[in-house]
């Protein structure tokens, strides 16, 4: 039985994704995304599952930054899960749910429900928590306070809360991508529908060379390699210094992808492969950031 570190506590969206992908393994909740990765590095867990991107809020920068700067881990899989956010209150406050004094949740979940919050709780402060489940747990443990949490239905069940408003997210095509991280390059399969292969790389451009990003993109274009995503993040070495994270829409083959890497390195770029893996779809149950 493997140990899977995930962004906790119990009943987060990440927890649901992990439960679907690893139904027979031990789940270990962690307080932060870096802690999930560090558990693997320290041998306390075999794998880590962390959020990387939300369809509405974009990239989870903490995941990218810790993976690039601190954690020598490999991406061995990707899980994509639908996101359904609900408004939860303690059973003692069901009748006066519109009178809550604070709304607690993960900052991404708060942003995903902006229209609802502006309509129903205009002027009421939102409090950021480490996860949606942490918000639900806090509401459960403080029945004397008339407060609410934005979280999923499993959180309501786990922490004895009542859903007073369902599907409060602004857009209903919301999904989150999660990375499965390991110290080894093991091949993983999951009891879920497979969506296709992907290779994620980090590219650092040569300094003061005009057109270098254009040349990098050209190495993929003339080989007809599709890029699903390209994004820059600070190198943390000074203003204006960035690295680029690129998702190539296929796994590493014998010729085209290695050829692109070799051409970029010949241009003076530094290329780091974070992983070459398959993606999987988590079932239509609520999920997390």
């Amino acid at each position: 039985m493997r140990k899977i570190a995930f962004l906790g506590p119990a009943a987060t969206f990440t927890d649901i994704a992990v439960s679907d992908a690893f139904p027979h393994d031990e789940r270990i909740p962690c307080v932060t995304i870096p802690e999930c990765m560090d558990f693997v590095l320290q041998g306390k867990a075999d794998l880590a599952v962390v959020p990387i991107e939300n369809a509405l809020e974009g990239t989870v920068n903490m995941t990218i930054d810790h993976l690039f700067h601190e954690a020598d881990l490999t991406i061995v899989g990707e899980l994509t899960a639908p996101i359904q956010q609900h408004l939860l209150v303690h059973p003692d406050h069901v009748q006066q749910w519109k009178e809550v004094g604070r709304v607690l949740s993960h900052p991404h979940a708060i942003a995903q429900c902006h229209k609802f919050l502006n309509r129903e709780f205009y002027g009421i402060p939102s409090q950021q928590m480490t996860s949606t489940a942490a918000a639900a747990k806090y509401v459960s443990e403080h029945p004397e306070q008339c407060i609410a949490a934005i979280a999923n239905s499993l959180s309501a069940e786990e922490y004895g809360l009542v859903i007073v408003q369902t599907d409060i997210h602004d857009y209903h095509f919301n999904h989150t991508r999660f990375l499965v991280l390991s110290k080894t390059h093991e091949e993983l399969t999951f009891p879920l529908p497979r969506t296709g292969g992907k290779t994620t790389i980090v590219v650092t451009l040569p300094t003061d060379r005009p057109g270098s990003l254009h040349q990098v993109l050209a190495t993929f274009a003339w080989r007809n390699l599709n890029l699903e995503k390209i994004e820059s993040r600070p190198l943390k070495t000074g203003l204006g210094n960035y690295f680029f994270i690129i998702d190539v829409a296929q796994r590493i083959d014998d010729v085209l992808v290695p050829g692109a890497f070799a051409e970029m390195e010949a241009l003076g770029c530094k290329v780091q492969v974070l992983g070459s893996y398959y993606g999987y779809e988590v079932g239509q149950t609520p999920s997390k950031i």
Side-chain angles (χ1 to χ4, degrees):
M1 178 182 293
R2 293 172 296 190
K3 296 181 178 179
I4 316 298
F6 70 94
L7 181 59
T12 60
F13 285 117
T14 312
D15 187 12
I16 297 173
V18 171
S19 298
D20 282 2
F22 302 94
H24 306 298
D25 293 306
E26 180 183 353
R27 306 194 306 279
I28 303 176
C30 297
V31 176
T32 66
I33 290 172
E35 185 180 60
C36 294
M37 300 188 201
D38 293 345
F39 265 41
V40 178
L41 292 171
Q42 297 163 5
K44 298 178 182 178
D46 301 296
L47 301 167
V49 178
V50 293
I52 181 62
E53 183 183 18
N54 176 263
L56 303 185
E57 295 305 306
T59 299
V60 181
N61 291 329
M62 182 177 291
T63 298
I64 290 296
D65 289 348
H66 198 71
L67 188 58
F68 177 74
H69 293 288
E70 305 292 341
D72 185 17
L73 297 175
T74 298
I75 305 171
V76 294
E78 177 186 274
L79 307 173
T80 301
I83 302 299
Q84 295 171 283
Q85 306 283 14
H86 311 305
L87 189 73
L88 283 53
V89 299
H90 192 276
D92 293 349
H93 302 293
V94 172
Q95 298 304 319
Q96 61 266 39
W97 69 267
K98 287 193 175 184
E99 301 171 12
V100 299
R102 279 180 299 152
V103 179
L104 291 67
S105 197
H106 186 278
H108 279 197
I110 293 171
Q112 291 162 16
C113 303
H114 170 75
K115 293 181 181 179
F116 173 85
L117 293 174
N118 191 57
R119 182 179 68 249
E120 298 290 347
F121 299 110
Y122 183 78
I124 301 301
S126 299
Q127 181 176 334
Q128 296 185 358
M129 304 291 285
T130 57
S131 69
T132 54
K137 186 173 185 288
Y138 184 93
V139 172
S140 174
E141 293 173 346
H142 295 82
E144 75 283 359
Q145 300 180 28
C146 188
I147 53 179
I150 297 174
N152 59 49
S153 57
L154 183 59
S155 290
E157 180 182 343
E158 178 77 18
Y159 300 108
L161 302 180
V162 177
I163 299 175
V164 291
Q165 291 286 291
T166 61
D167 297 332
I168 64 172
H169 37 281
D170 296 341
Y171 301 95
H172 293 275
F173 51 81
N174 193 10
H175 286 71
T176 291
R177 292 169 50 219
F178 303 89
L179 298 180
V180 183
L181 304 173
S182 173
K183 284 199 294 187
T184 65
H185 296 267
E186 61 182 312
E187 180 82 18
L188 291 184
T189 58
F190 302 97
L192 301 167
R194 198 166 78 180
T195 58
K198 183 182 296 185
T199 300
T200 298
I201 64 172
V202 167
V203 178
T204 305
L205 303 180
T207 58
D208 299 325
R209 179 171 174 173
S212 56
L213 179 57
H214 170 76
Q215 291 176 316
V216 165
L217 298 178
T219 64
F220 295 103
W222 76 261
R223 289 178 173 85
N224 200 31
L225 291 171
N226 186 36
L227 302 184
E228 291 189 358
K229 183 180 181 181
I230 177 169
E231 185 171 352
S232 63
R233 289 293 299 156
L235 272 170
K236 301 184 179 181
T237 58
L239 288 173
N241 299 331
Y242 293 88
F243 66 88
F244 292 84
I245 182 165
I246 300 174
D247 285 341
V248 185
Q250 72 171 63
R251 298 190 64 185
I252 294 178
D253 57 3
D254 294 330
V255 178
L256 291 178
V257 178
F261 296 168
E263 184 174 341
M264 285 187 286
E265 290 171 345
L267 293 170
C269 300
K270 180 181 178 181
V271 181
Q272 177 185 351
V273 180
L274 295 184
S276 190
Y277 51 92
Y278 287 109
Y280 294 83
E281 291 281 354
V282 173
Q284 298 299 311
T285 54
S287 303
K288 148 128 208 204
I289 221 178

